[in-house]
Amino acid sequence: MNLLKSFPPEPWFVTESEYEKDALERNATLFFLGNGYMGFRGGFEEAEADDGTKGTFVNGFYESAPQVYGESAFGFPDKKQSILNLPDPTGLRIFLDDEEFSLKAGRLLEYERKLSLKEGLLSRTLVWESPQGRRVKLLFRRCVSAAREHLAVISCTVSRLEGVQRLRIESCCKINAAEQRKGPADPRKSAGFAHAPIVCLEKRVKDGGAVLLQETANSRLQFAEAVENSVGGGLVLEASEDRGGEIVFSYSGIPFGTDEVFVLNKYIAFYSSIEASASDLADLAEAEAVNAEKSGIGLILSEHMEAVDLFWNRADIRIDDEALQQGIRFNLYSIFQSAGRDGLRNISAKGLSSEGYEGHYFWDTEIYVIPFFSYTFPETASRLLEYRYNILDKARARASVMSEKGALFPWRTINGEEASAYFPAGTAQYHINADIAYGISRYVKVSGDNGFMTDFGLEILIETARFWMSLGFFNSSGEFRINCVTGPDEYTAIVNNNYFTNVMAQYNLQYAAESAESVRQNAPEVYFELSARLGLAQNEIESWKAAARAMYLPYSSSLCIHAQDDTFLDKEPWDFSDKSLNRHPLLLHLHPLVIYRYQILKQPDVVLANFLRNSSFSRIGKMRDYEYYNRITTGDSSLAPCIQSIMAAELGRPEEAYKYFMRTARMDLDDINSNAVDGIHIAAMGGTWLSLVYGFGGLRDLDGELSLCPRLPAAWGRLEFNLRFHGKELNVSIRREKTVYSLTDETGSVTLNHMGTTYTVQAGAPVEVSMKPELKGVIFDLDGVITDTSEFHYLAWKRLADEMGYTFSREINERLRGIGRLESLDIILESSGAELSSEERFQQGELKNGYYRELLESIKPENVLPGISELMMNLRKNGIRSALASASRNAASVIKRLGIENMFDCVMDAAAVERGKPDPEIFVSAAEALGLLPEQCAGIEDAAAGVEAIRASGMFSVGVGPAAGAADWAVDETSELHFETLLDRFRRAAGQ
Amino acid sequence: MNLLKSFPPEPWFVTESEYEKDALERNATLFFLGNGYMGFRGGFEEAEADDGTKGTFVNGFYESAPQVYGESAFGFPDKKQSILNLPDPTGLRIFLDDEEFSLKAGRLLEYERKLSLKEGLLSRTLVWESPQGRRVKLLFRRCVSAAREHLAVISCTVSRLEGVQRLRIESCCKINAAEQRKGPADPRKSAGFAHAPIVCLEKRVKDGGAVLLQETANSRLQFAEAVENSVGGGLVLEASEDRGGEIVFSYSGIPFGTDEVFVLNKYIAFYSSIEASASDLADLAEAEAVNAEKSGIGLILSEHMEAVDLFWNRADIRIDDEALQQGIRFNLYSIFQSAGRDGLRNISAKGLSSEGYEGHYFWDTEIYVIPFFSYTFPETASRLLEYRYNILDKARARASVMSEKGALFPWRTINGEEASAYFPAGTAQYHINADIAYGISRYVKVSGDNGFMTDFGLEILIETARFWMSLGFFNSSGEFRINCVTGPDEYTAIVNNNYFTNVMAQYNLQYAAESAESVRQNAPEVYFELSARLGLAQNEIESWKAAARAMYLPYSSSLCIHAQDDTFLDKEPWDFSDKSLNRHPLLLHLHPLVIYRYQILKQPDVVLANFLRNSSFSRIGKMRDYEYYNRITTGDSSLAPCIQSIMAAELGRPEEAYKYFMRTARMDLDDINSNAVDGIHIAAMGGTWLSLVYGFGGLRDLDGELSLCPRLPAAWGRLEFNLRFHGKELNVSIRREKTVYSLTDETGSVTLNHMGTTYTVQAGAPVEVSMKPELKGVIFDLDGVITDTSEFHYLAWKRLADEMGYTFSREINERLRGIGRLESLDIILESSGAELSSEERFQQGELKNGYYRELLESIKPENVLPGISELMMNLRKNGIRSALASASRNAASVIKRLGIENMFDCVMDAAAVERGKPDPEIFVSAAEALGLLPEQCAGIEDAAAGVEAIRASGMFSVGVGPAAGAADWAVDETSELHFETLLDRFRRAAGQ
């Protein structure tokens, strides 16, 4: 039973309303608190045993240990880095006479643990009866200050004592590091240490408080931890030093009346040598705790809540589903709590909720988290990227060890050195370089902060571009290829030309060249200094452009999809019915060599690449890639569903988008992957924001301009969020009937594109756009819709059939409607039981076409079918675009003879598409060529295959005549195609 | 300075004639002694410090330890296995009064250490003067009995004492395990243990001798070690137990006259729980040592030398180069010393010379060692393969862990469990399965031991065939493909369709099917039992055949070579000039991801596959593969040069073969790879035998018949070896002028094929075959040699050129000689500055051919050029075959019109070859079609490109006319081509 799911959920709270003693460890993750600098797991104050619930972390504060390999090789990292579980300062012991309060004994009469997301406070209220019948009510509150990053406060309120002679409270401060939580053979847990990781350098203990100065054994980092205890009324807690590895501050006194309360406030401060001089740490920590005690808990909490308020003002996303709303807020707040804000630390894959993944930083930051901060707290996005600049020298050194030029960022790290001990899914993920370049682009284009580019960004871009030039090569055909890499999908490894890697490397190279040239123009002195220091010449920039242009992207022309890599599509298809294979997550049940051998994915990285560089790819291509790779994607990665959701939304499948979104929004609250115990999933949390804003909001922005295409799933009536863009804050409020764009700032404006139309939103002047679908384009088939060349086709086929001795009839002819030339010939051949070589087949197709063209010579304007000219005139008058989508290769010459070629904005014929009807390609591509979405268009067809293609494209379908099959609107002949009726039918189908 | 190279080398000895104090560790490898069951490194008896020279091993006796991974995953082996360096029993301490003999002090007046390969004895003689001027002569001798596998003897003779009052000798027996020699990050060394690997269970100590019963801490194996010391004269050495971790037996007495000698013999026996019951071990070891002591050293040594004698009688290979002869003998003897002979142990990659590679068994056994034993000691080959049968159940379990059916043998192991901690170059080397199948085939086909097949072989073949069926799959084109594997070349990893793997898996499948059907026919009751037990049905056997037939072998039609795998040829070419890359061995200087990315090889596994399945591939194909892959093979693997040598010999390049042979024959004696310190290279040693017998001897035998094609390098006058085949022993004696085949048995016969001719060698009736090359085939060009169609070609080109308006002249026409149609057109186009599409190009080629064929209609028998008919008649009369090799596609119709089509045994025209002249393909393939070697053929050509092709093919070249270029024999016109002159010129060119 998961009480966190309690219905109705309170969207601003995460609540444990009964004591879940079997889920303590998992809930310690969910009730973690942090402020980017430090974090605490939600373990109880009174807990003693090392039950995995305690965790005290300073972001980026790590210990190292030798990395051991069964068989080592050159360039393997020789040191592990693990975020250190610091000595626990949270402990409190409460004695009712000789009975110690513990949930492991006695009886709980009341219990509630609650995280207030709105306030950023964790509280626990309980009424406990001791085994001997004494009673007490306890309220524990915790805050890790969002205003003072080195400070945390724990407050314990004791009341309603019954049957107690004397109350004793001990406030504890551990001296030795806590145990690292660990697990066997699961990379998502920490590996732990074989040695004692810290040494205490100095202890300052006085009544009421203490300071410890400590140093790690191997990494040689120092930190100071200060504690001040305050009980008010001039009382000072008596200190007893180093009792069993802890310092204890105790209060013991006569109890008070049942109406009175006793309060202990514990102020905890940390400082580390990462951000301050080692010699100052003890003083700094002590001052922080002492000042906090002087300020008092009221001030501390109000400062904190003010900062949390600001967060929600900027970052909250509102929908009208309470359970999802709770999930969204929990996710966004967890990111806020975990992201480093000083350029010296980053955001770990498990945030500050645990030591899972050793507290390492991955690509999750740039791909999943940077977009969120860029649009809400750009200053935090900037600091996260500044961290990358601060480790650039280590990335240069790593590239050199790898025999490459430029810089190679570590796949996973804390201190900037590569810490992956399994290179096929570690160092081989070179795409981290391009991901960082992408993150820089996100931040700079959204914030407009060009200073970041000159101060930090460009140097990173130059060194990463250099790396790609060194890693890849121009092959003998002049293609730029990148071999022996691993893409984000870790279910394959060490492949050639991973699509994601090449797409992103291409962007890195382009963006580096573009940025270098822009800085040279706009900040020549910066450019001069940098290019001189790095030895950068123009021809090097030209080589980046050349490589980007020549970048090879693997493509299967038989499947019409991008190949995940050079050989992915040659792999054995996965057997979804084989129980011995389908055990998830696969990596815990199958040897990597088994997983690598199949077409099975942890995450669809082709789809991710298509999303990240959306505008570089055709809609039909993205559709096919999505369909192929989605089918073979397991649910094994927490990074996948949000991306699947975004692409489903783009492709006009909001319900599919909603289904995937459900997996991402409450991933940890519902513990969907059964591993919340090891920490939250930061990337999936960032993905929640991406799904909402890029998916349902339809935001696209890679070129630095805002474009939105909102699509609500049926379950929602609204979606509302803010986007901070170039210093202005845009509020986007999406309802079923309209979307309202407004500025929260008092001055200025933001320009955006909504579904193809550009709007400028001025301060104080919201823009309302109707969400009712409007017909913007009509796509016509030729034969049987515009004119009736079908008789010519019949006659031409007949002549060929007679000459060749094939069976042919009107009946067979009916089957050729909407079908291409060679496919038609195949149908005739099949009926005749004849077989041709591919050359003969081609020749006879040409022959028939010759006959047909002869007949076409006679076509004239009067051959336009009834009603069509009027319809087209009306479309033009009303600003609705028209396109021709014909399976014929003679379409252009036919409409010329018909005298209507000027009525079409676009002509798509069979030569322009890879797959004929009933594949939706020709309609999807025609709409795209018109600059429209399928749902803004209607398609008109007389053949069943054509109507099928229109429906598959997502358009409103119009069928003419008896052979058209099931269309949204069926007419008997073209004369019925009145403009007003079409508009009416279109609107009705859209549910208006 | 390497004294082992001392010239003139003594082919029966390895001698260290000066004390090489800087090479003690390396020389401890070279002076190792073993008998397949146990081995001792050559460390000095008096050595005390753990200087890496001591090593005491029982083959297959190992300790295990947890295998640790930085990031582990499902199916990774969790235990290491390391051959254990046992407690040292060899120690002796000699005191001259109070001065202890040690080479680290005093002065050496005489010194020699010598391994007698002939006798299998190691001796060390020295005269030492102590720091205080005392003198002694010492002789140490060692023997690890080839007759009693549990027994070793050390004998120490003291003489010529000067200035000594009292002699004291202590014989020591360590109790604790010796240190494992180890090194950082080098897989060729052992990783050592973090724990004490053995526990002493029982100690029996008496004066003169002791027995220790010990057990390993983790692997829980037991061994007993017994020592008996004997000094003769009724004296018994006094025992003192456990003094500083050792048992010491001491003698102390008044010295004797300078003419007298004092001798201590130490008998050492080992028994382990691998081959005997744990409760018997102590008794068995004690009995072995006591009995040996009773037998006395004379009998022990004479038994031993008798066994060694037998070895040399069967296995010695004689050549007339003393340094190489020494290398050959050292190598063969090292294999003899290292190979297990009881079915319970195998032969480690470093033999019994060290704990390098942890004492593991690899594919080296089957591919490099089994052929040698199959032809010399088939019973040993049988036992080595029986070991594989004994670990079959573990191989089944491993296949199951890997989600596969059948059995997967471990890439490296002692106890049968996979012990590779780096799967990309470990478990992914699935080819081990096929290598074992190949080894079985070698042994069974050479020995004729069908009992092995029914008892052990078939079951292994069935389970390995099943594994391949499960690992690979039929793709949509019906090809059987095997993805995600690593071939023997570890400079690439995890690739699809590694050529070696697929070629060998194909053999495994074929051979399993063939063997199953043969056993079903010949031993139906065995087949019935086995097929019932394993659930084997006929349709499964049919599926093996189908997969073998459909096996996909990657091929590049542009390079006309086999591709090492699906993407190898797409990799970046290696830059041999880049100093930062070219540091060897690459794996110690470059990260695997760097090495994997390039076309660079550790060993050419395509070439190895071509050798192992020689008859399955065309000569031109093997030639091209060899040339391509040889060029990109580093010298980093000790397993490569022997294979390169064999293929060079096959391709008629004996001097290149010799160059590679030099790298393999003295690899360890000359320490070519600078790592003899870590142990000998067993595979290279087996490779020495392969190079001699398969390379220079030209033995081919995969189909179970002996075929030889001897080719001596210029430096040698003879090569002589024995081949035991189906129970008979054939002596092969190759001289420059003749090869003599004789039987060493007194009855029976052996049938063999010598360069295309079959001989049956009867006992007592040696067969002598001349080595003088004999002309066996003549290969004719058509145009300008058989007839002069060149004028027709000229006229046809002229007509085309005139019609198309191309520039053309007699001069341009000259450049078309011997060149194919399309290439000729290109030359004309180039001269005319014209460009054609590939379709036009093809059409115009057809056009010209039409004109040419029109002209050809007129050709008649009288158009055969002068002298040709006579020459062809003479060839036919003398049994010399003829072939036509023409670049024309009309060759067949021309010779028909000329009336000479019956004179040719074979017609090769342009359609049959991938590459035209000057590529040698057409000549090489014509000779092959005639069943001849190129050196048995002459080729006749009138064009320079043709003569170039003949020369490149390795044939004797005849050039007709002025345009023929530099041929071995040039004539002005065909009338000069007299048969007798041709024979004479051919013989002269062959140096006769």
Side-chain angles (χ1 to χ4, degrees), chain B residues 718-982:
Chain B
R718 71 158 176 164
L719 167 62
E720 205 174 320
F721 52 82
N722 295 339
L723 299 177
R724 185 161 289 268
F725 186 74
H726 282 247
K728 296 293 163 191
E729 192 178 61
L730 179 75
N731 178 275
V732 180
S733 170
I734 304 165
R735 297 286 191 286
R736 294 224 74 79
E737 63 286 358
K738 64 180 179 187
T739 294
V740 181
Y741 298 100
S742 56
L743 246 56
T744 63
D745 303 84
E746 292 182 5
T747 59
S749 67
V750 166
T751 298
L752 61 89
N753 179 306
H754 172 98
M755 297 183 81
T757 308
T758 300
Y759 299 92
T760 296
V761 186
Q762 303 283 354
V767 170
E768 276 195 30
V769 193
S770 167
M771 289 289 280
K772 291 177 189 168
E774 240 186 291
L775 183 68
K776 298 225 166 173
V778 176
I779 297 167
F780 295 85
D781 177 35
L782 179 63
D783 277 358
V785 174
I786 300 284
T787 186
D788 200 353
T789 63
S790 58
E791 187 61 18
F792 298 159
H793 282 294
Y794 169 73
L795 292 171
W797 282 125
K798 184 82 174 84
R799 184 169 160 194
L800 180 79
D802 289 350
E803 282 174 13
M804 300 292 164
Y806 302 150
T807 314
F808 192 61
S809 64
R810 288 275 176 193
E811 200 175 13
I812 295 172
N813 191 53
E814 279 305 300
R815 290 169 57 200
L816 312 186
R817 271 180 195 273
I819 301 286
R821 190 187 303 157
L822 295 177
E823 292 79 4
S824 295
L825 179 58
D826 288 341
I827 291 174
I828 295 170
L829 291 171
E830 198 194 319
S831 313
S832 311
E835 271 183 36
L836 295 183
S837 72
S838 68
E839 200 180 333
E840 289 169 328
R841 194 167 153 268
F842 178 76
Q843 283 170 349
Q844 297 194 6
E846 287 292 304
L847 206 56
K848 179 262 169 183
N849 193 40
Y851 301 154
Y852 172 69
R853 290 175 73 100
E854 276 175 36
L855 293 164
L856 275 188
E857 302 281 330
S858 64
I859 209 164
K860 291 187 201 67
E862 46 269 44
N863 290 112
V864 173
L865 286 173
I868 293 298
S869 295
E870 295 80 343
L871 175 60
M872 298 196 77
M873 297 288 278
N874 275 317
L875 293 175
R876 184 123 298 197
K877 255 189 258 168
N878 286 277
I880 296 173
R881 286 166 235 175
S882 297
L884 186 68
S886 166
S888 161
R889 285 169 191 261
N890 301 304
S893 79
V894 173
I895 58 168
K896 200 165 177 186
R897 284 180 204 286
L898 290 172
I900 53 170
E901 84 256 46
N902 295 326
M903 302 299 286
F904 292 101
D905 298 287
C906 152
V907 175
M908 283 271 154
D909 73 9
V913 296
E914 290 186 283
R915 288 188 166 171
K917 304 167 189 174
D919 189 284
E921 177 174 356
I922 199 163
F923 288 96
V924 171
S925 300
E928 195 165 36
L930 293 177
L932 299 174
L933 295 167
E935 61 253 51
Q936 296 174 313
C937 298
I940 310 181
E941 263 284 0
D942 71 319
V947 169
E948 199 183 317
I950 297 172
R951 295 173 66 96
S953 77
M955 289 179 195
F956 177 75
S957 61
V958 182
V960 179
D968 294 320
W969 177 33
V971 297
D972 290 334
E973 44 190 50
T974 55
S975 60
E976 295 169 42
L977 292 171
H978 300 297
F979 175 67
E980 292 303 334
T981 323
L982 175 61

Side-chain angles (χ1 to χ4, degrees), chain A residues 67 70-71 404 421-423 597, chain B residues 70-71 404 421-423 597:
Chain A
Q67 182 63 272
E71 293 177 36
E404 310 299 348
Y422 178 62
F423 76 82
R597 226 171 59 232
Chain B
E71 294 177 35
E404 310 298 348
Y422 179 63
F423 76 83
R597 226 170 60 231

Side-chain angles (χ1 to χ4, degrees), chain A residues 67-71 73-76 398 402-404 412 420-423 427-428 430 470-473 483-484 496 567 570-572 587-594 596-597, chain B residues 67-71 73-76 398 402-404 412 420-423 427-428 430 470-473 483-484 496 567 570-572 587-594 596-597:
Chain A
Q67 182 63 272
V68 179
Y69 299 91
E71 293 177 36
F74 180 84
F76 282 16
R398 179 66 181 161
M402 296 302 295
S403 310
E404 310 299 348
R412 52 189 296 176
S420 166
Y422 178 62
F423 76 82
T427 296
Y430 301 116
S470 156
L471 188 72
F473 72 112
N483 289 339
C484 284
N496 296 339
T567 58
D570 297 337
K571 293 191 178 179
E572 190 169 353
L587 61 90
L588 295 188
H589 299 98
L590 300 176
H591 191 283
L593 278 170
V594 179
Y596 293 170
R597 226 171 59 232
Chain B
Q67 182 63 274
V68 179
Y69 300 91
E71 294 177 35
F74 180 84
F76 282 16
R398 179 67 179 159
M402 296 300 296
S403 310
E404 310 298 348
R412 51 190 299 177
S420 166
Y422 179 63
F423 76 83
T427 296
Y430 301 116
S470 155
L471 188 72
F473 72 112
N483 289 338
C484 284
N496 296 341
T567 58
D570 296 337
K571 292 189 178 181
E572 190 168 354
L587 62 89
L588 295 188
H589 299 99
L590 300 175
H591 192 283
L593 278 171
V594 179
Y596 293 170
R597 226 170 60 231

Side-chain angles (χ1 to χ4, degrees), chain A residues 477-555:
Chain A
S477 314
E479 295 160 340
F480 193 80
R481 289 177 169 247
I482 306 176
N483 289 339
C484 284
V485 310
T486 299
D489 170 39
E490 296 176 349
Y491 282 180
T492 57
I494 316 185
V495 296
N496 296 339
N497 298 299
N498 169 257
Y499 176 76
F500 179 91
T501 305
N502 288 19
V503 164
M504 297 300 285
Q506 184 182 44
Y507 185 73
N508 191 347
L509 290 163
Q510 274 171 9
Y511 186 57
E514 176 191 307
S515 302
E517 291 175 347
S518 153
V519 170
R520 185 174 51 201
Q521 185 148 7
N522 301 318
E525 71 298 339
V526 173
Y527 184 80
F528 180 77
E529 182 281 321
L530 199 59
S531 59
R533 176 155 58 82
L534 304 181
L536 177 70
Q538 183 61 28
N539 63 353
E540 191 175 354
I541 298 175
E542 293 304 323
S543 76
W544 303 343
K545 292 188 206 167
R549 274 194 306 272
M551 185 66 71
Y552 168 74
L553 302 181
Y555 188 77

Side-chain angles (χ1 to χ4, degrees), chain B residues 501-809:
Chain B
T501 305
N502 287 19
V503 163
M504 297 300 284
Q506 183 181 45
Y507 185 73
N508 192 159
L509 290 162
Q510 272 171 9
Y511 185 58
E514 176 192 306
S515 301
E517 290 175 347
S518 154
V519 170
R520 185 173 53 200
Q521 185 148 8
N522 300 318
E525 70 298 340
V526 173
Y527 184 81
F528 179 78
E529 182 279 322
L530 199 59
S531 59
R533 176 156 57 84
L534 304 181
L536 178 70
Q538 182 61 28
N539 63 353
E540 191 175 355
I541 298 176
E542 293 305 323
S543 76
W544 303 342
K545 292 188 207 167
R549 273 193 307 271
M551 185 67 70
Y552 168 73
L553 302 180
Y555 188 76
S556 160
S557 44
S558 58
L559 294 171
C560 299
I561 57 170
H562 288 108
Q564 183 169 306
D565 58 63
D566 278 359
T567 58
F568 182 82
L569 298 172
D570 296 337
K571 292 189 178 181
E572 190 168 354
W574 182 255
D575 183 352
F576 285 94
S577 69
D578 183 340
K579 288 212 177 68
S580 71
L581 288 179
N582 287 279
R583 292 174 294 172
H584 295 279
L586 299 185
L587 62 89
L588 295 188
H589 299 99
L590 300 175
H591 192 283
L593 278 171
V594 179
I595 303 175
Y596 293 170
R597 226 170 60 231
Y598 290 95
Q599 289 194 40
I600 191 73
L601 303 184
K602 193 170 167 197
Q603 54 187 311
D605 56 25
V606 169
V607 176
L608 176 57
N610 286 347
F611 160 56
L612 296 177
R613 294 196 55 202
N614 204 276
S615 57
S616 302
F617 308 105
S618 74
R619 183 178 176 96
I620 187 74
K622 286 182 279 191
M623 221 167 119
R624 287 178 179 149
D625 286 350
Y626 172 83
E627 281 165 6
Y628 190 88
Y629 291 105
N630 226 33
R631 195 180 51 78
I632 55 173
T633 300
T634 60
D636 291 353
S637 170
S638 65
L639 281 65
C642 52
I643 304 302
Q644 292 167 293
S645 176
I646 292 169
M647 202 44 95
E650 171 172 333
L651 296 174
R653 303 171 187 187
E655 302 318 311
E656 203 165 307
Y658 180 73
K659 183 191 82 182
Y660 285 117
F661 180 71
M662 292 293 285
R663 285 187 63 85
T664 195
R666 292 186 55 88
M667 178 168 284
D668 288 316
L669 282 188
D670 291 348
D671 200 5
I672 287 175
N673 287 12
S674 303
N675 61 0
V677 62
D678 298 320
I680 56 172
H681 294 79
I682 282 290
M685 289 170 156
T688 300
W689 188 89
L690 296 175
S691 287
L692 288 164
V693 174
Y694 287 91
F696 299 111
L699 176 67
R700 293 295 179 273
D701 55 2
L702 191 59
D703 55 2
E705 285 168 18
L706 295 181
S707 158
L708 290 104
C709 179
R711 286 184 188 85
L712 291 183
W716 299 352
R718 71 158 176 164
L719 167 62
E720 205 174 320
F721 52 82
N722 295 339
L723 299 177
R724 185 161 289 268
F725 186 74
H726 282 247
K728 296 293 163 191
E729 192 178 61
L730 179 75
N731 178 275
V732 180
S733 170
I734 304 165
R735 297 286 191 286
R736 294 224 74 79
E737 63 286 358
K738 64 180 179 187
T739 294
V740 181
Y741 298 100
S742 56
L743 246 56
T744 63
D745 303 84
E746 292 182 5
T747 59
S749 67
V750 166
T751 298
L752 61 89
N753 179 306
H754 172 98
M755 297 183 81
T757 308
T758 300
Y759 299 92
T760 296
V761 186
Q762 303 283 354
V767 170
E768 276 195 30
V769 193
S770 167
M771 289 289 280
K772 291 177 189 168
E774 240 186 291
L775 183 68
K776 298 225 166 173
V778 176
I779 297 167
F780 295 85
D781 177 35
L782 179 63
D783 277 358
V785 174
I786 300 284
T787 186
D788 200 353
T789 63
S790 58
E791 187 61 18
F792 298 159
H793 282 294
Y794 169 73
L795 292 171
W797 282 125
K798 184 82 174 84
R799 184 169 160 194
L800 180 79
D802 289 350
E803 282 174 13
M804 300 292 164
Y806 302 150
T807 314
F808 192 61
S809 64

